[in-house]
């Protein structure tokens, strides 16, 4: 019986976007990394909060979730970002590389269709900074169909906050009979349409499976 997936984004969650004046939260430290396909003399600068590794590990060690990277960093999340935070090697959703000019080409997050197919009917809590109202509706509909889905939305300029992970833990530990679909934005919970509790599903395949 697999615990619900914990889908983790990076940009806007672990790596905040700069404010208009270029500022980054003081909690974050600079790192230069070389993603796949780039040369060593052309690194990418990322800003990471070292506390995030500890906070995420506190959740992972509970065994209540199955952590998976869900980011356009793809495998580089495991080889470059995770080690800087002290995280173990985690699987990742092998997202495509669409030629799009907006992250919401159909009014919702571009990753969503791929994530939906990858999850099957497995339950999941997804942390990302870029959900729209249509994504929250999708989460509520999945929950109503028995595949519990919770969206936790960070402020892209602040990134992951401790209360976001508290919400994750509360969602996966609440009694099945009382769990409802929910979304969370910058620490404020917004309830969605009630639905039945999630049901662990052995048919949900892990990252890299043929879907």
């Amino acid at each position: 019986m697999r615990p619900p997936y914990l889908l983790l984004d990076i940009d806007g969650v672990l790596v905040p976007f700069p404010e208009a004046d270029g500022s980054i939260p003081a909690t974050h430290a600079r790192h230069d990394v070389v993603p796949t396909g780039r040369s060593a003399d052309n690194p990418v600068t990322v800003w990471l909060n070292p506390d995030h590794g500890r906070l995420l590990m506190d959740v992972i060690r509970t065994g209540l979730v199955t952590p998976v990277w869900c980011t356009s960093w793809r495998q580089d999340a495991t080889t470059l970002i995770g080690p800087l935070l002290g995280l173990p090697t985690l699987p990742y959703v092998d997202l495509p590389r669409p030629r799009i000019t907006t992250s919401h080409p159909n009014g919702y997050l571009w990753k969503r269709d791929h994530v939906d197919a990858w999850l099957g009917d497995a339950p999941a809590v997804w942390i990302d900074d870029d959900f729209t109202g249509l994504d929250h509706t999708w989460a509520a509909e999945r929950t109503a169909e028995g595949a519990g889905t919770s969206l936790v939305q960070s402020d892209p300029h602040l990134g992951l906050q401790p209360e976001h992970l508290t919400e994750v833990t509360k969602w996966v530990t609440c009694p099945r009979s009382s769990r409802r679909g929910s979304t969370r934005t910058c620490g404020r919970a917004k309830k969605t349409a009630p639905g039945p509790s999630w049901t662990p599903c052995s048919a949900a395949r892990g990252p890299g499976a043929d879907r």
Side-chain angles (χ1 to χ4, degrees):
M1 182 180 295
R2 191 200 306 273
Y5 285 107
L6 170 60
L7 303 178
L8 293 166
D9 185 29
I10 289 181
D11 294 320
V13 176
L14 298 180
V15 177
F17 290 100
E19 295 283 1
D21 61 2
S23 63
I24 294 289
T27 50
H28 289 61
R30 174 175 173 157
H31 302 271
D32 290 329
V33 298
V34 182
T36 300
R38 296 180 76 104
S39 61
D41 61 355
N42 187 28
V44 172
T45 297
V46 296
W47 298 83
L48 296 168
N49 181 344
D51 286 343
H52 282 164
R54 173 183 57 80
L55 292 170
L56 285 168
M57 284 306 302
D58 285 346
V59 175
I60 293 170
R61 288 193 185 102
T62 66
L64 295 171
V65 295
T66 302
V68 177
W69 294 114
C70 185
T71 167
S72 57
W73 285 79
R74 301 173 184 82
Q75 186 174 3
D76 287 337
T78 288
T79 58
L80 298 179
I81 305 300
L84 292 174
L85 293 172
L87 296 176
T89 298
L90 301 178
Y92 64 97
V93 178
D94 193 13
L95 295 169
R97 302 175 187 272
R99 296 183 178 181
I100 53 178
T101 57
T102 172
S103 58
H104 310 112
N106 297 302
Y108 54 86
L109 184 57
W110 69 272
K111 304 175 189 176
R112 200 188 82 196
D113 289 338
H114 311 290
V115 168
D116 190 43
W118 188 89
L119 285 174
D121 54 2
V125 54
W126 185 359
I127 304 178
D128 203 293
D129 67 302
D130 210 13
F131 299 122
T132 72
L134 291 178
D135 295 309
H136 296 304
T137 298
W138 165 80
E141 290 173 349
R142 273 180 52 88
T143 299
E145 293 170 356
T149 304
S150 181
L151 304 185
V152 179
Q153 188 161 356
S154 62
D155 181 317
H157 300 292
L158 298 177
L160 185 69
Q161 301 297 307
E163 57 264 31
H164 294 142
L165 295 177
T166 298
E167 182 69 13
V168 169
T169 302
K170 286 182 178 178
W171 186 79
V172 297
T173 57
C174 73
R176 294 187 184 186
S177 61
S178 64
R179 182 178 288 118
R180 296 291 184 269
S182 68
T183 60
R184 188 173 182 88
T185 303
C186 301
R188 294 185 297 278
K190 181 178 71 174
K191 295 299 180 182
T192 60
S197 62
W198 60 265
T199 302
C201 177
S202 60
R205 302 177 186 176
D210 181 16
R211 283 194 168 274

